[in-house]
Amino acid sequence: MRVSLFITCYNDTLFPETGKAVVHLLERLGHTIDFPPDQTCCGQMHWNTGYHREAIPIIRHFVEVFRDAEAICIPSSSCVAMIREHYHKAAVASGDHAFVAEVEALLPRVYEFSEFLVNKLGVLDVGATYPHRVTYHASCHSLRSLHLGDIPIRLLRKVRGIQLVDLPEIDQCCGFGGTFAIKNADVSSAMLADKARHVLNTGAEVCTAVDNSCLMHVYGSLHRQRTYVRTAHLAEILASQGEPAAAL
């Protein structure tokens, strides 16, 4: 299959290793990767802060860039949720019927990374080896918007050498939530403290998730506490074939 990648703003600017891991893994599974160089943002930040009209040109651009894609794989449940929940509303609001039709044609081809592996490609064992104690944080968008359920955990259970440990209160938010952490700093910090405490109580070496935005937030707390717990996107673990975690 020819897979088109949307690597998202966070991954492109802050966590490029995640995009590299997605490419490495999908090529290892025998797929051809397409990375449209004109891709930009999904428009989530604009939409979530109330700039709906300003988000429409960004959404139009995404649709134009990926119009001919066979399948679009995105290593971020947050961005996929933006596309699934708001692109159609934005197109309708634009009053452009052709735009609405294009969005409707595009949406069934948009997949979050872990659901792409399991629901589209039908694979659970991707041939990964990761000899580390790992806990999984379920992001809000993965749980409540995309309803991924245990898909990421089922993938992790097939990784050789991994010691997967349950994260207490897994359904609780880490407190990031994009601009929520900025607008409600005290509440966000309290939620983050709980999440970091739960991660530390697992004794895990690595905390993983399908959203680097959450992992950035969680790692900030773990790092400030001078712990040795690292964070890694799910794609980095699934792409691994036994390399030291620090090298991923």
Side-chain angles (χ1 to χ4, degrees), residues 38-57:
D38 293 338
Q39 62 182 275
T40 55
C41 173
C42 69
Q44 180 184 181
M45 190 66 75
H46 305 71
W47 189 273
N48 287 352
T49 48
Y51 292 94
H52 293 181
R53 186 174 59 186
E54 289 79 1
I56 290 176

Side-chain angles (χ1 to χ4, degrees), residues 103-197:
V103 169
E104 290 175 347
L106 185 74
L107 288 181
R109 290 177 275 142
V110 176
Y111 297 89
E112 182 277 330
F113 168 71
S114 66
E115 71 174 1
F116 180 72
L117 292 174
V118 176
N119 293 346
K120 180 64 176 178
L121 301 182
V123 295
L124 280 174
D125 187 344
V126 296
T129 300
Y130 196 78
H132 300 282
R133 186 177 174 91
V134 176
T135 194
Y136 170 73
H137 160 66
S139 65
C140 293
H141 282 106
S142 72
L143 277 179
R144 300 176 178 89
S145 294
L146 304 188
H147 305 290
L148 293 184
D150 66 349
I151 286 178
I153 293 175
R154 290 162 60 197
L155 286 161
L156 287 168
R157 284 177 180 152
K158 294 294 185 181
V159 175
R160 292 157 186 78
I162 198 169
Q163 186 180 359
L164 188 61
V165 287
D166 293 337
L167 181 64
E169 308 294 342
I170 190 173
D171 61 341
Q172 299 300 306
C173 176
C174 69
F176 183 62
T179 55
F180 174 84
I182 299 171
K183 295 176 179 176
N184 304 278
D186 291 342
V187 176
S188 172
S189 296
M191 298 169 74
L192 176 60
D194 287 343
K195 181 62 66 176
R197 175 168 50 83

Side-chain angles (χ1 to χ4, degrees), residues 8-238:
T8 86
C9 305
Y10 264 95
N11 294 332
D12 186 41
T13 57
L14 299 174
F15 303 98
E17 61 274 17
T18 295
K20 294 176 182 176
V22 173
V23 172
H24 180 70
L25 174 59
L26 292 178
E27 287 184 339
R28 192 170 79 205
L29 294 176
H31 300 283
T32 301
I33 308 304
D34 171 49
F35 181 80
D38 293 338
Q39 62 182 275
T40 55
C41 173
C42 69
Q44 180 184 181
M45 190 66 75
H46 305 71
W47 189 273
N48 287 352
T49 48
Y51 292 94
H52 293 181
R53 186 174 59 186
E54 289 79 1
I56 290 176
I58 301 172
I59 295 170
R60 280 187 184 276
H61 183 72
F62 181 97
V63 173
E64 290 169 3
V65 168
F66 291 99
R67 176 180 290 135
D68 299 324
E70 182 179 358
I72 305 160
C73 179
I74 304 175
S76 164
S77 69
S78 175
C79 294
V80 175
M82 165 64 194
I83 293 167
R84 286 192 184 156
E85 293 180 349
H86 302 303
Y87 269 30
H88 190 262
K89 287 185 286 188
V92 170
S94 74
D96 184 339
H97 298 301
F99 183 30
V100 173
E102 282 208 296
V103 169
E104 290 175 347
L106 185 74
L107 288 181
R109 290 177 275 142
V110 176
Y111 297 89
E112 182 277 330
F113 168 71
S114 66
E115 71 174 1
F116 180 72
L117 292 174
V118 176
N119 293 346
K120 180 64 176 178
L121 301 182
V123 295
L124 280 174
D125 187 344
V126 296
T129 300
Y130 196 78
H132 300 282
R133 186 177 174 91
V134 176
T135 194
Y136 170 73
H137 160 66
S139 65
C140 293
H141 282 106
S142 72
L143 277 179
R144 300 176 178 89
S145 294
L146 304 188
H147 305 290
L148 293 184
D150 66 349
I151 286 178
I153 293 175
R154 290 162 60 197
L155 286 161
L156 287 168
R157 284 177 180 152
K158 294 294 185 181
V159 175
R160 292 157 186 78
I162 198 169
Q163 186 180 359
L164 188 61
V165 287
D166 293 337
L167 181 64
E169 308 294 342
I170 190 173
D171 61 341
Q172 299 300 306
C173 176
C174 69
F176 183 62
T179 55
F180 174 84
I182 299 171
K183 295 176 179 176
N184 304 278
D186 291 342
V187 176
S188 172
S189 296
M191 298 169 74
L192 176 60
D194 287 343
K195 181 62 66 176
R197 175 168 50 83
H198 291 316
V199 171
L200 291 173
N201 285 342
T202 67
E205 301 168 67
V206 179
C207 177
T208 190
V210 296
D211 284 274
N212 270 327
S213 51
C214 296
L215 291 176
M216 180 184 71
H217 195 51
V218 172
Y219 182 72
S221 176
L222 297 172
H223 180 68
R224 287 191 293 274
Q225 295 182 59
R226 300 182 184 277
T227 75
Y228 292 98
V229 182
R230 302 180 297 275
T231 54
H233 191 280
L234 177 68
E236 295 166 55
I237 293 177
L238 297 184

